[in-house]
Amino acid sequence: MRVLLVNTSEKTGGAAVATFRLMDALNNNGVKAKMLVANKESDTLTVVGLPRPWLHRFNFLWERLVIWMRLRFNRKHLFDIDIANAGTDITTLPEFKEADIVHLAWINQGMLSLGVVRKILKSGKPVVWTMHDLWPLSAICHLSMGCRRFKSHCSNCQYLPGGGGDRDLAHRVWEQKRRLYRMSNISFVACSRWLAGEAKASALVEKHVVTDIPNPINTSVFCKRDKAAAREALGLPADKRLILFVAQRATNENKGMQYLINACKALAEEHPEMRDNAGVVILGGHAEEFERAFEMPVYPLGYVNDERKMVEVYNAADLFVLPSLSENLPNTIMESMACGLPCLGFKVGGIPEMIDHLKNGYVAAYRDSADLARGMGWILLESDYGQLSRLAQQKVLSKYSQQAVSMKYIEVYNQAIAFKNYAI
């Protein structure tokens, strides 16, 4: 079986990381998988870049220009929505022609247009689409910000100035997707049970088969190692309890840094000794901006894209906190748990599916800094830490290993091929 995985980026972003890992998992379990991306960044033989990168750049800029105009020349939300009005036709590529399955992932920002997706569907090849956020099941947004219009139809979009009206850009894209999905048999996959539930509630996707399959992780890479050695390699103190925060961009409001700041303040007020014997490690762009924001030492490590260093960071920490306001199935929680690091996050999206409350971590009430502080105190000062660590590793090995996830995808592929043959 030959599978072509299509994703905009090779390495940047959670969807890219998850798709690359899935390709690796499939190749390690008997499937010939390749990944098609806009710009090839590595020397991996099974990753293929688009033949004309400049065309992707043009498509990206054209889409942003149209969105910018619809936003009345305001940059706010410029990268929060996608309309898929421009993209590269991949159906002529040899990698597409030789594929038995076309597997779409995160295809936005000029990678594929809805017109190209229509051509892919008309090719007759079985199509599997992994949803990494809400965009495939809504009109133009990746995060709904509490909006539930996708349950009936998208219009009057809150991302557009003045709501946009009932016949706005969101409504027009919704209608394009509705016609597209209606004439096709796409096998949708959600990375979490939460997102699968959202998809089944969507008027766009409700009549399609939706399967929930988590992202995979290589547990021979992400695994528990010597904490002291990891701290020494990173230049981190050996005598402090280290709280880890990870985000591609630490200033991203959706990642909830302010909630962590407030929680650490509350923790220090209740346990004054934590001001001296604890510290916060921040991994991500603009991490240095928060050096004076906490009541305990801060260790900014900047942006890291190297897996080996990421493993060192996870092994150096005592607790991983992800106070995100919206998440699907975060790779960072999976990576942390694989390294035996207990995790703490809000009760939102797929986070409660990953963290088993009071068993391998702590799930805090949504947007509740006080509960976040309680969770930190419980994990660091009250729990059986060794047991938490062991159960975190066990959860990843049983649910998210390469073999466990690849077998589920192979079943979806076989069903898609069987349906195609039956239809013929």
Side-chain angles (χ1 to χ4, degrees), residues 16-299:
V17 171
T19 305
F20 189 95
R21 289 176 179 171
L22 177 58
M23 177 191 68
D24 193 33
L26 292 170
N27 283 321
N28 288 336
N29 286 276
V31 174
K32 294 180 179 179
K34 288 184 178 180
M35 186 174 173
L36 178 64
V37 298
N39 293 290
K40 181 179 171 68
E41 301 174 55
S42 73
D43 57 1
T44 306
L45 295 177
T46 51
V47 176
V48 181
L50 291 176
R52 293 174 291 175
W54 61 267
L55 180 57
H56 167 257
R57 183 66 179 169
F58 173 83
N59 291 331
F60 167 78
L61 292 173
W62 173 245
E63 182 182 30
R64 288 313 107 187
L65 177 61
V66 173
I67 292 172
W68 186 49
M69 292 170 63
R70 294 293 181 177
L71 294 175
R72 298 176 185 172
F73 308 104
N74 190 326
R75 288 182 58 85
K76 186 177 182 181
H77 301 314
L78 181 59
F79 293 96
D80 294 331
I81 59 179
D82 282 286
I83 59 176
N85 65 328
T88 301
D89 183 3
I90 66 170
T91 61
T92 61
L93 301 181
E95 292 79 15
F96 180 89
K97 293 178 179 179
E98 70 182 17
D100 301 306
I101 294 282
V102 178
H103 188 153
L104 306 181
W106 202 90
I107 56 168
N108 301 112
Q109 296 191 353
M111 182 67 182
L112 300 183
S113 66
L114 291 178
V116 171
V117 174
R118 182 181 297 275
K119 292 191 72 171
I120 292 170
L121 294 169
K122 284 187 174 182
S123 73
K125 292 182 181 290
V127 174
V128 174
W129 194 340
T130 293
M131 298 179 286
H132 291 278
D133 56 36
L134 294 175
W135 191 83
L137 60 91
S138 68
I140 62 176
C141 71
H142 298 273
L143 301 176
S144 68
M145 297 197 300
C147 175
R148 308 298 294 170
R149 291 181 185 273
F150 64 82
K151 294 180 69 174
S152 55
H153 70 282
C154 286
S155 64
N156 198 29
C157 181
Q158 61 188 318
Y159 282 98
L160 301 174
D166 289 336
R167 305 294 294 179
D168 61 10
L169 178 63
H171 178 80
R172 290 200 293 275
V173 176
W174 172 275
E175 286 299 314
Q176 292 175 35
K177 286 186 177 180
R178 184 182 63 81
R179 291 191 294 270
L180 183 67
Y181 292 0
R182 187 174 58 186
M183 53 80 68
S184 65
N185 182 58
I186 304 171
S187 299
F188 285 99
V189 176
C191 297
S192 65
R193 293 194 299 272
W194 164 78
L195 188 56
E198 296 289 86
K200 291 171 184 176
S202 166
L204 281 178
V205 181
E206 61 183 354
K207 294 183 180 180
H208 291 262
V209 175
V210 179
T211 309
D212 62 276
I213 304 176
N215 299 324
I217 189 170
N218 188 338
T219 52
S220 65
V221 174
F222 288 89
C223 56
K224 195 169 185 177
R225 297 179 183 174
D226 184 74
K227 187 179 296 291
R231 291 190 176 191
E232 183 178 1
L234 295 167
L236 295 173
D239 59 346
K240 293 184 184 294
R241 292 185 174 93
L242 296 181
I243 300 163
L244 175 64
F245 174 91
V246 178
Q248 185 176 343
R249 181 168 52 87
T251 52
N252 183 343
E253 290 185 9
N254 184 62
K255 295 302 179 181
M257 175 65 86
Q258 190 59 51
Y259 290 91
L260 178 59
I261 293 171
N262 294 341
C264 285
K265 180 179 179 181
L267 181 67
E269 288 175 352
E270 185 173 353
H271 302 279
E273 71 279 6
M274 295 295 280
R275 290 187 173 94
D276 296 319
N277 62 21
V280 179
V281 178
I282 303 176
L283 191 68
H286 304 281
E288 70 284 351
E289 295 182 22
F290 298 97
E291 285 190 79
R292 293 181 175 83
F294 290 85
E295 296 195 7
M296 53 187 68
V298 174
Y299 306 96

